[in-house]
Amino acid sequence: MAETSKTALDESAPGPAARRLILKLLVASETETLDASDAIRACALFGISDNNARVALTRLANANLIETAGRGTYRLGSEGRALGEDISAWRSAEQRVRPWDGTWVAVLIAGLGRSDRTALRVRERALALVGMRQLEEGLYVRPDNLVGGVAHARERLYGLGVETSAPVFTVRDLDTGLESKARGLWNGKELVKGYRDSRRLLEKSNARLGTLPVELAAKEAYLLGDEAIRQLVFDPLLPEPLVTVADRVAFGSEVRRYDEAGRSIWQRFLAARG
């Protein structure tokens, strides 16, 4: 995927960046299209000006993330369709998990340069997305509990921007000290607490969305749903006994329910043109 696609959703702001919001609305669209006027209305909910919304549309089109589908209407472009698949991958996350036999996937980045800040940022994001943590200087690991094993991990790391000169391999039979250190790289209790807290937050919001004006409901559903999905996207998908898997599964199920409710609310909002 092109570098533009990798960074298109990375913008940080108090609310959603215009480009991120527009892309996600297109990914969720039942008709697979979005009118420019609806994009502008959606952006206005979050205090994004008409001009900034139009600039975002232009930049997304220039990056092949969206393309015109008629006068004033857009659909996902070639880069956007690929990115849309990445955005939606969280839905099937648990299907990518397999039983863990104690083996670790490792990547050695000690020989890679650190002077190129862009390359370093891409590398660090890739390692985070694959759920890897540093065991020793320049050596990152994760449990080998994902479908496809080391071959898939290697393909994903390289696809996300890690230099192909970085060896990706499996490690087993660590000594007692390193094994204990590896298992302690993630705070399993904190992860489980995050699953439970976020699940309760979504349940509480879902119960009250129907009582809110559609504009407020759409805004709340987007902000809370976006944060919950981000939590799943960056979740390392650890096995037992490092986390309580049942709590992660329950959280994922609640995110899917909340996402469906949010989609319905946004359809109502976009249909209610003034």
Side-chain angles (χ1 to χ4, degrees), residues 156-194:
R156 187 151 187 247
L157 284 166
Y158 293 164
L160 287 167
V162 172
E163 295 88 335
T164 56
S165 59
V168 183
F169 50 95
T170 55
V171 175
R172 57 175 56 87
D173 299 326
L174 294 172
D175 64 47
T176 303
L178 273 180
E179 181 69 26
S180 177
K181 182 178 180 180
R183 289 174 178 245
L185 291 175
W186 298 265
N187 188 334
K189 290 183 179 180
E190 190 63 28
L191 283 169
V192 170
K193 181 179 184 299

Side-chain angles (χ1 to χ4, degrees), residues 105 130 142 148-158 168:
V105 173
V130 181
R142 67 152 294 121
V150 66
H152 177 72
R154 182 183 298 116
E155 179 183 1
R156 187 151 187 247
L157 284 166
Y158 293 164
V168 183

Side-chain angles (χ1 to χ4, degrees), residues 198-208 254 257:
S198 296
R199 180 185 175 191
R200 285 193 290 267
L201 184 63
L202 293 181
E203 288 173 341
K204 183 178 179 180
S205 174
N206 210 354
R208 79 188 201 102
E254 185 58 38
R257 282 191 291 271

Side-chain angles (χ1 to χ4, degrees), residues 255-273:
V255 177
R256 286 190 291 274
R257 282 191 291 271
Y258 194 83
D259 184 63
E260 288 303 315
R263 285 170 180 252
S264 177
I265 289 167
W266 271 91
Q267 288 166 15
R268 284 168 45 212
F269 169 75
L270 293 175
R273 297 179 177 87

Side-chain angles (χ1 to χ4, degrees), residues 62-269:
N62 290 340
N64 295 321
L65 287 161
I66 65 174
E67 61 188 18
T68 57
R71 185 175 178 83
T73 304
Y74 294 88
R75 63 189 173 205
L76 291 173
S78 56
E79 293 291 339
R81 288 190 293 274
L83 183 60
E85 293 176 3
D86 283 351
I87 293 173
S88 302
W90 63 270
R91 296 176 175 277
S92 58
E94 292 299 330
Q95 297 174 24
R96 303 197 300 273
V97 177
R98 68 180 184 181
W100 186 43
D101 65 1
T103 302
W104 302 87
V105 173
V107 56
L108 184 63
I109 65 167
L112 303 180
R114 297 184 61 84
S115 59
D116 186 333
R117 292 187 178 182
T118 299
L120 182 61
R121 185 168 61 251
V122 169
R123 187 189 309 152
E124 290 175 346
R125 179 177 170 82
L127 291 167
L129 281 168
V130 181
M132 308 202 74
R133 294 288 179 88
Q134 184 167 252
L135 179 62
E136 295 289 333
E137 184 67 32
L139 178 66
Y140 285 71
V141 300
R142 67 152 294 121
D144 185 14
N145 70 314
L146 300 182
V147 174
V150 66
H152 177 72
R154 182 183 298 116
E155 179 183 1
R156 187 151 187 247
L157 284 166
Y158 293 164
L160 287 167
V162 172
E163 295 88 335
T164 56
S165 59
V168 183
F169 50 95
T170 55
V171 175
R172 57 175 56 87
D173 299 326
L174 294 172
D175 64 47
T176 303
L178 273 180
E179 181 69 26
S180 177
K181 182 178 180 180
R183 289 174 178 245
L185 291 175
W186 298 265
N187 188 334
K189 290 183 179 180
E190 190 63 28
L191 283 169
V192 170
K193 181 179 184 299
Y195 302 146
R196 293 173 179 174
D197 289 349
S198 296
R199 180 185 175 191
R200 285 193 290 267
L201 184 63
L202 293 181
E203 288 173 341
K204 183 178 179 180
S205 174
N206 210 354
R208 79 188 201 102
L209 284 177
T211 69
L212 298 175
V214 67
E215 294 85 0
L216 293 180
K219 186 174 181 178
E220 180 170 317
Y222 181 91
L223 291 174
L224 290 185
D226 189 52
E227 183 59 32
I229 290 171
R230 179 177 174 79
Q231 186 175 342
L232 283 178
V233 167
F234 281 94
D235 188 87
L237 295 175
L238 299 175
E240 302 273 3
L242 303 186
V243 297
T244 307
V245 172
D247 281 299
R248 185 181 68 230
V249 171
F251 171 50
S253 296
E254 185 58 38
V255 177
R256 286 190 291 274
R257 282 191 291 271
Y258 194 83
D259 184 63
E260 288 303 315
R263 285 170 180 252
S264 177
I265 289 167
W266 271 91
Q267 288 166 15
R268 284 168 45 212
F269 169 75

